[in-house]
Amino acid sequence: MGGGRKSALNTPAFKALLIQALTLPIALVLFFFSTTYVVWLPFICAAVLQGVIAALLTYHFKLARWWLFIQFFFPPSLFLMHGLHLPPVIFLCLFVVFLGLFWTTFRYQVPFYPSGLPAWEVVSTRLPKHGPYRFIDIGSGFGGLVLYLARRYPESFFSGIELAPLPWFVSWLRAAYRRDQTRFIRGDYFDLDFSQYEVVFAYLSPAAMPALWQKAKAEMTTGSLLISYEFSIVGAAPNFVLESKRGGTKIYGWKF
């Protein structure tokens, strides 16, 4: 379980924000120096310059490569959006929606991204042949996998846990209109006891897999199954690797 949670000050998102804050005065000083003593430039150039410096510092501090694009495009995008003169309430609404979806992405490095029907179909083929059993989807999003499996295996109990409030609320509403054995919890899966489940499903990110593996080894019981969509675990060979007949991402499984 150790290593699952990170201090907010030690996350890539905070580091990226700090880089942007540091590069803003540097970019402004260089821009005004150039405009005053070299050649006049439009103000958008200051935003582009900030993006370039931020991307270079991001590379220097070895953040993930996709942060380079965010760091470069963030200042110019912000400048251009400001030029549209849109009502502030639009930005407030967008902020609330994105906050509800990506509640802890900045801290746990697990973005919101649904798994989809092809993955659900493959997972269903690897579930225990004899029920009842208890299944938990950690990071269950809008609840699609849990609801799909509950329809196919009504004798078993299917749960999902989600920390982001908007997906959890949607999944809770979807389950409220059903009579099968489904439940959605809003919370952190590191607060769960994995020994209470025969099957644990995860669709997280490479950054989250080492801590998940340590928790699974410490808590999962003999005969239980850990399934991961898309991401394997370095140093832990899976017992099986599957791929949808429709093609696409692989599914890994570990038996305990």
Side-chain angles (χ1 to χ4, degrees):
M1 196 182 307
R5 296 183 177 90
K6 285 187 175 183
S7 166
L9 300 181
N10 196 37
T11 59
F14 181 81
K15 294 176 182 177
L17 180 62
L18 184 61
I19 288 173
Q20 288 288 352
L22 291 174
T23 55
L24 175 59
I26 297 173
L28 288 176
V29 168
L30 292 176
F31 171 76
F32 285 117
F33 177 84
S34 174
T35 301
T36 304
Y37 298 104
V38 183
V39 61
W40 182 89
L41 296 170
F43 198 73
I44 182 65
C45 293
V48 173
L49 180 60
Q50 181 183 348
V52 170
I53 299 173
L56 291 174
L57 287 176
T58 299
Y59 178 80
H60 174 74
F61 288 111
K62 299 181 180 179
L63 271 68
R65 290 188 177 183
W66 51 273
W67 277 108
L68 298 176
F69 298 96
I70 295 177
Q71 294 287 71
F72 174 75
F73 287 108
F74 177 74
S77 300
L78 195 64
F79 177 84
L80 293 174
M81 289 296 292
H82 177 72
L84 295 177
H85 303 293
L86 297 175
V89 68
I90 294 179
F91 297 100
L92 176 61
C93 292
L94 288 174
F95 173 77
V96 171
V97 170
F98 283 112
L99 182 64
L101 280 174
F102 303 101
W103 185 259
T104 56
T105 299
F106 76 97
R107 186 170 183 179
Y108 293 97
Q109 302 181 67
V110 180
F112 173 76
Y113 196 80
S115 51
L117 181 60
W120 306 346
E121 293 173 340
V122 176
V123 170
S124 69
T125 67
R126 301 303 304 192
L127 296 181
K129 302 302 181 184
H130 305 286
Y133 53 85
R134 295 159 297 179
F135 175 102
I136 183 76
D137 179 0
I138 56 175
S140 52
F142 291 121
L145 172 64
V146 170
L147 298 174
Y148 171 82
L149 294 176
R151 285 194 297 268
R152 299 196 61 174
Y153 305 98
E155 74 281 1
S156 296
F157 188 84
F158 293 88
S159 304
I161 185 167
E162 175 61 55
L163 194 53
L166 181 57
W168 167 81
F169 182 67
V170 172
S171 62
W172 180 83
L173 284 179
R174 296 178 70 185
Y177 289 97
R178 298 164 59 101
R179 296 183 179 179
D180 47 28
Q181 298 190 75
T182 57
R183 180 179 66 145
F184 290 99
I185 310 161
R186 182 174 178 268
D188 187 338
Y189 68 84
F190 271 90
D191 295 327
L192 289 177
D193 181 1
F194 281 3
S195 68
Q196 301 301 308
Y197 303 94
E198 283 72 45
V199 184
V200 176
F201 174 83
Y203 183 22
L204 302 176
S205 76
M209 297 307 292
L212 172 65
W213 179 241
Q214 293 302 318
K215 179 176 175 63
K217 287 197 302 180
E219 298 178 1
M220 295 187 73
T221 58
T222 302
S224 60
L225 177 64
L226 172 65
I227 301 176
S228 173
Y229 178 55
E230 187 170 347
F231 306 112
S232 186
I233 300 171
V234 177
N239 295 100
F240 63 81
V241 181
L242 301 173
E243 188 173 341
S244 169
K245 294 179 180 179
R246 309 182 192 187
T249 309
K250 295 179 179 179
I251 290 177
Y252 303 88
W254 295 265
K255 295 180 180 179
F256 289 84

